[in-house]
Amino acid sequence: RLFDCNHREVILTIDCAMALLLSLCMLKLMREMREDMLDKQAFAGVIRIGAIESIVHSWFPEFLALLRTRYPRLQVEIACDTTVHLSEQLARGQLDLSLQAKPVAGSAVGHVSLGEFPMAWVGSPQLSIGDEQLSLNDLSAFPIMSFARGSEPYTAIEQLLCSESSARVHLNCIASVATMIRVVCDGLGIAAVPPAIIQRELAEQRLRVLPVDREFPPLRLVGAYRNDHENPLTEDVARVAEEAATAFALRHGQAVARLPLHEQGSVDGVFMQGK
């Protein structure tokens, strides 16, 4: 019995009073659960993010700062590796989001464009290379430092030099981008890198862009995320990366970074070409 009724009033029974108290607690918990699920600021999970070094050395710190502002309770685990290895980790479920140079095949993976980094041949002023235009054969006279074997820049360099240079070329693969930049700054060779990752070295004139007669293909960047609903924030976090990449491109200009492709009206082209 919940109520005692007489001709004048309805009185709650002891059982009803207890049921009312418990019902109010249940409603309060349901409201809090709904608010927490809808309020992304309250999300307190873990997201595993991989990134290639060209992104780590450019707009990645701004991306993490923006992510911290948007999701203050979100814990971020970071892995830095080549696109090949990051794609494998994403496919195995070891990463939730990968910021890399090539899309990942599979229906369980979604993508956002993160724009492009133009590439440039650079060297130290210590090499005393003049301002005259250089051919690929001219470049082959210097030790050439490269990203890790199997990376997108390594493959592009190998294809360019093998197809256009008559000289036998040996690429010195360096796994660490920071080490490669240091070696080139010390005048021990030249390299093809995105100017986006050497802004300080260029400003301090420890490196200079070399005039080469053959354009180097740009480094196309994508955010690949798992969309199997195990982590509902993966696409939203990928969009935060897109926002950071856009801000970086607008700040530095087309010579350093190009806008994500949807900003230029051709978002699907890079994904179809990458697959």
Side-chain angles (χ1 to χ4, degrees), residues 139-256:
L139 294 179
S140 63
F142 299 92
I144 297 177
M145 308 301 162
S146 168
F147 288 78
R149 190 180 302 275
S151 65
E152 300 298 308
Y154 172 88
T155 302
I157 293 174
E158 191 176 44
Q159 291 175 350
L160 273 176
L161 295 178
C162 289
S163 63
E164 306 241 353
S165 175
S166 59
R168 186 179 182 87
V169 178
H170 174 70
L171 298 181
N172 300 278
C173 299
I174 301 178
S176 166
V177 169
T179 301
M180 179 175 65
I181 293 173
R182 174 62 186 272
V183 167
V184 177
C185 283
D186 288 343
L188 301 178
I190 62 174
V193 300
I197 70 174
I198 54 168
Q199 289 297 290
R200 180 182 300 176
E201 289 78 8
L202 291 173
E204 296 173 353
Q205 298 185 353
R206 291 189 288 140
L207 287 177
R208 61 181 290 253
V209 175
L210 304 177
V212 180
D213 62 4
R214 177 67 184 272
E215 184 178 358
F216 200 100
L219 184 64
R220 291 176 170 175
L221 305 173
V222 300
Y225 60 91
R226 294 183 63 85
N227 58 4
D228 54 8
H229 307 297
E230 289 185 8
N231 192 332
L233 277 183
T234 52
E235 182 175 1
D236 289 346
V237 173
R239 296 295 176 186
V240 176
E242 179 187 40
E243 189 175 336
T246 298
F248 184 86
L250 292 174
R251 186 166 66 251
H252 290 279
Q254 292 284 309
V256 173

Side-chain angles (χ1 to χ4, degrees), residues 44-61:
V46 176
I47 189 165
R48 301 158 300 175
I49 301 175
I52 60 173
E53 283 201 272
S54 292
I55 290 178
V56 169
H57 288 274
S58 53
W59 48 259
F60 194 72

Side-chain angles (χ1 to χ4, degrees), residues 11 26 31 36 64 82 91 104 112 202:
I11 301 173
M26 291 171 62
R31 183 168 56 250
D36 282 352
L64 289 181
T82 63
V104 179
V112 296
L202 291 173

Side-chain angles (χ1 to χ4, degrees), residues 36 39-47 71-76 233:
D36 282 352
D39 182 9
K40 293 169 185 174
Q41 293 274 352
F43 190 83
V46 176
I47 189 165
Y71 306 103
R73 295 172 59 191
L74 185 66
Q75 297 180 30
V76 180
L233 277 183

